[in-house]
Amino acid sequence: MSYFLNEEQQMIVDICKQIVEERIKPVRAELDEKEIFPSDILKEIGQSDLFRLFIPEEYDGMGTGIFEVSLATEELSRGCLSVATSYAASGLGFLPILIAGSEEQKKKYMPDLASGKKLAAFGLTEPEAGSDAGGIKTKAEKNGEYYILNGAKQWITNGGEADIYTIFAMTNPKKGSRGASAFILEKGMEGFEFGKKENKMGIRASATRELIFNNCKVPAENILSREGTGFLIAMKTLDKSRPAVGAQAVGVAQAALEEALNYSKVRKQFNSTISSFQAIRHMLADMATKVEAARSLVYHAAKLIDSGQKNVSRISAMAKMFASDIAMQVTTDAVQIFGGYGYMKEYPVEKMMRDAKILQIYEGTNQIQRDVIALDLIKKGFN
Ligand code: COS
């Protein structure tokens, strides 16, 4: 399908396709099986300037938008969701700096993140605060020139691998979500430690770790904006990043659809290829239609954000929720079309189905997305 991409956008897609074919597909099963973090591939992604996409030119970025990031994320997800997640998680980690950072903070941190020399991570979730983002317990107390952080973050993508972390902590717990603040932390800061790497169902090559703050000393100048703005920074970040989760979903669904389509044309039963059976044809038709609908919604959401529209929570949540539900359905149907072979690790659809599940959970469960959409709908209607 043509999406009227300009020359630059087509180039982004082509570069990603090449990385997928040459670097990702040959090793994705092994990375998954052995839980190997794809450092070399991420280096190559950096050398191909793909981390620069959403970063303004003054901080060594390319100044393109969420649409271009979504194109890159979708293509990388066609290859391997672990790689795409590690790539997208760095963007999620540095978005708070772009949204709320001072000129000095942006100049200090963004160039190395733009080149891919350093990776970022986003630290919001805690053992007792997942969907309830305002309920975080990590504390940040001001002590002279420092904030002292105590607490822990859970299931942090790129945890331990990233150099730069945007962390949300309570500076005034009595105020609830209005008492949260955001900080930039660097790996190696005193009192900043990592827990064990999690053993996951899917995206097994991505790194998910606990972050532990044990009287962690963070220079006071590393606060983003000012005290009390942390929850808002987190929400604004998620509003911008959720379409990229939708793009991950479109990519993995497209990959599963392609695998199922190709297999249906060679697998023979009852002396015919299974693509000649209506049962399979109708499944393929539904899968292709769903992927196309999800892609349209993701691209639309990304373009609305890039157009500068202010209230994007609803469309952003819709894109993430719809596309990830579709990815789960389409990858499950792909396994079904492969039959018993689909359940085996020799074929890639087994991994795609395991990987797809996380998309309905991270960056806000799809139940939370439905809450965000419904609340916005009831408050604002269609104005
Ligand atoms: N943009 C701007 N402001 C926002 C906002 C947004 N997207 N979402 C909420 N706010 C504001 C609200 O308007 C409200 O402001 P006032 O106090 O001035 O009225 C304030 O923030 C608190 O909002 P609300 O009362 O809706 O907060 P809740 O505690 O009920 O939580 C949800 C809202 C559930 C939407 C939020 O906690 C959430 O997004 N949870 C999921 C978190 C998540 O994605 N976790 C995954 C981890 S990241 S991988």
Side-chain angles (χ1 to χ4, degrees):
M1 298 261 179
S2 164
Y3 276 92
F4 312 105
L5 302 185
N6 64 29
E7 211 175 306
E8 186 181 36
Q9 292 159 347
Q10 191 56 54
M11 207 168 77
I12 293 166
V13 171
D14 292 343
I15 289 170
C16 292
K17 274 191 200 301
Q18 195 178 350
I19 295 174
V20 165
E21 292 306 322
E22 291 175 6
R23 302 283 284 113
I24 299 180
K25 279 191 179 174
V27 296
R28 63 185 174 188
E30 189 189 358
L31 296 181
D32 176 72
E33 183 71 20
K34 298 184 180 160
E35 300 179 281
I36 301 169
F37 186 72
S39 307
D40 292 348
I41 299 173
L42 289 166
K43 259 187 210 127
E44 189 154 336
I45 287 173
Q47 282 157 7
S48 304
D49 292 333
L50 295 170
F51 286 105
R52 296 189 198 278
L53 293 179
F54 186 60
I55 297 174
E57 285 170 16
E58 56 266 43
Y59 313 115
D60 291 358
M62 280 164 65
T64 49
I66 296 283
F67 180 61
E68 284 76 8
V69 172
S70 298
L71 289 175
T73 307
E74 176 186 336
E75 282 309 321
L76 295 173
S77 305
R78 276 181 71 234
C80 174
L81 200 56
S82 287
V83 173
T85 292
S86 311
Y87 165 71
S90 193
L92 176 67
F94 65 60
L95 258 177
I97 303 178
L98 288 178
I99 288 172
S102 65
E103 196 53 29
E104 225 177 332
Q105 288 169 332
K106 289 179 193 170
K107 286 224 160 84
K108 179 172 176 189
Y109 291 107
M110 293 317 299
D112 281 349
L113 293 164
S115 68
K117 189 174 161 204
K118 291 184 175 174
L119 287 179
F122 181 80
L124 177 64
T125 302
E126 297 185 359
E128 306 290 324
S131 292
D132 182 10
I136 55 170
K137 299 274 186 298
T138 295
K139 272 194 198 152
E141 284 170 309
K142 187 115 188 253
N143 186 347
E145 295 298 294
Y146 291 91
Y147 281 93
I148 308 297
L149 267 63
N150 278 291
K153 296 287 168 183
Q154 183 168 256
W155 303 324
I156 304 306
T157 308
N158 286 350
E161 306 293 340
D163 299 286
I164 310 297
Y165 296 78
T166 44
I167 300 296
F168 298 84
M170 285 294 179
T171 39
N172 190 345
K174 281 189 217 127
K175 286 193 171 173
S177 57
R178 283 167 179 239
S181 304
F183 300 90
I184 306 171
L185 268 67
E186 294 178 36
K187 193 178 187 172
M189 276 181 171
E190 192 183 324
F192 182 16
E193 294 149 26
F194 302 105
K196 67 170 174 38
K197 195 168 162 181
E198 302 290 351
N199 181 1
K200 306 189 293 289
M201 169 198 276
I203 55 165
R204 289 169 56 79
S206 72
T208 310
R209 284 191 179 86
E210 193 183 14
L211 314 181
I212 302 153
F213 313 109
N214 196 355
N215 287 323
C216 173
K217 269 176 89 175
V218 180
E221 72 220 30
N222 280 29
I223 191 167
L224 284 170
S225 182
R226 54 192 159 71
E227 284 190 17
T229 60
F231 185 77
L232 208 61
I233 295 171
M235 291 300 115
K236 285 185 175 170
T237 300
L238 292 166
D239 281 349
K240 288 201 164 165
S241 71
R242 281 178 180 150
V245 180
Q248 291 177 41
V250 172
V252 74
Q254 174 74 34
L257 170 63
E258 285 171 20
E259 294 289 342
L261 177 64
N262 292 337
Y263 183 76
S264 74
K265 292 197 280 190
V266 294
R267 171 70 171 168
K268 283 194 170 160
Q269 291 292 279
F270 308 104
N271 299 319
S272 302
T273 56
I274 61 170
S275 62
S276 67
F277 303 136
Q278 193 182 45
I280 300 294
R281 288 182 173 200
H282 286 191
M283 280 177 83
L284 289 169
D286 285 344
M287 289 158 77
T289 307
K290 286 173 182 176
V291 173
E292 211 46 56
R295 181 178 286 119
S296 302
L297 183 55
V298 167
Y299 287 6
H300 176 60
K303 286 192 165 176
L304 272 184
I305 295 175
D306 291 341
S307 75
Q309 181 151 321
K310 286 274 176 289
N311 181 11
V312 291
S313 304
R314 186 193 311 182
I315 194 75
S316 181
M318 283 176 171
K320 189 270 183 194
M321 175 198 80
F322 185 76
S324 58
D325 282 349
I326 292 297
M328 199 64 244
Q329 291 166 22
V330 169
T331 54
T332 305
D333 284 347
V335 169
Q336 191 68 21
I337 288 175
F338 272 77
Y341 288 114
Y343 204 67
M344 303 298 145
K345 284 189 185 279
E346 283 94 319
Y347 290 92
V349 288
E350 173 269 347
K351 171 182 176 305
M352 289 169 189
M353 182 179 153
R354 279 189 288 110
D355 285 349
K357 186 63 204 169
I358 192 61
L359 300 166
Q360 294 179 304
I361 299 172
Y362 68 16
E363 290 197 36
T365 63
N366 282 3
Q367 287 67 32
I368 286 292
Q369 309 307 323
R370 286 178 170 86
D371 277 350
V372 169
I373 296 163
L375 208 70
D376 193 73
L377 201 56
I378 291 159
K379 249 192 193 166
K380 304 190 183 117
F382 291 98
N383 298 319

